Amino acid sequence: METKLKEHLIQIAGRLTPESTLEDVYEQLSLLADIEISERQEQNGQILTQSEVEQQSKEWVK
C-alpha cells in the first residue's frame, strides 16, 4: 500500500503547537491514513449505499 507518509507528516507538523504531544501526532496521522484508505476504496467502487448500510446495521443489532 502506497502511503504519503512524508506529506502527511509535513501537513501535521504545520499544525503543531508547543502543547502538542506525540499522541496528537499519531491521532492525526491515523486519521489521514484512514481518509486515504477510504478514498482508495471509493475509487475502487468498494462503497455501500445508505440503504445497504441500514440493512447491514439491522443484521448487526439482532
Side-chain angles (χ1 to χ4, degrees), residues 2-4 9 11-13 19-21 23-24 28-31 34 41-42 54 62:
E2 180 185 329
T3 61
K4 302 174 186 175
L9 289 172
Q11 183 179 6
I12 293 167
E19 294 79 26
S20 296
T21 65
E23 187 171 319
D24 296 332
Q28 287 296 309
L29 188 57
S30 179
L31 175 64
D34 288 346
Q41 288 173 330
E42 181 181 20
E54 290 171 1
K62 286 183 180 179

Side-chain angles (χ1 to χ4, degrees), residues 1-5 8 26-48:
M1 173 166 89
E2 180 185 329
T3 61
K4 302 174 186 175
L5 180 60
H8 290 325
Y26 175 76
E27 288 175 2
Q28 287 296 309
L29 188 57
S30 179
L31 175 64
L32 291 172
D34 288 346
I35 291 170
E36 187 177 317
I37 290 168
S38 295
E39 288 173 345
R40 192 173 304 119
Q41 288 173 330
E42 181 181 20
Q43 289 172 353
N44 294 332
Q46 300 169 319
I47 56 174
L48 299 174

Side-chain angles (χ1 to χ4, degrees), residues 38-61:
S38 295
E39 288 173 345
R40 192 173 304 119
Q41 288 173 330
E42 181 181 20
Q43 289 172 353
N44 294 332
Q46 300 169 319
I47 56 174
L48 299 174
T49 64
Q50 179 68 29
S51 60
E52 290 171 327
V53 170
E54 290 171 1
Q55 183 61 37
Q56 285 188 10
S57 64
K58 288 177 186 176
E59 294 173 15
W60 298 333
V61 177

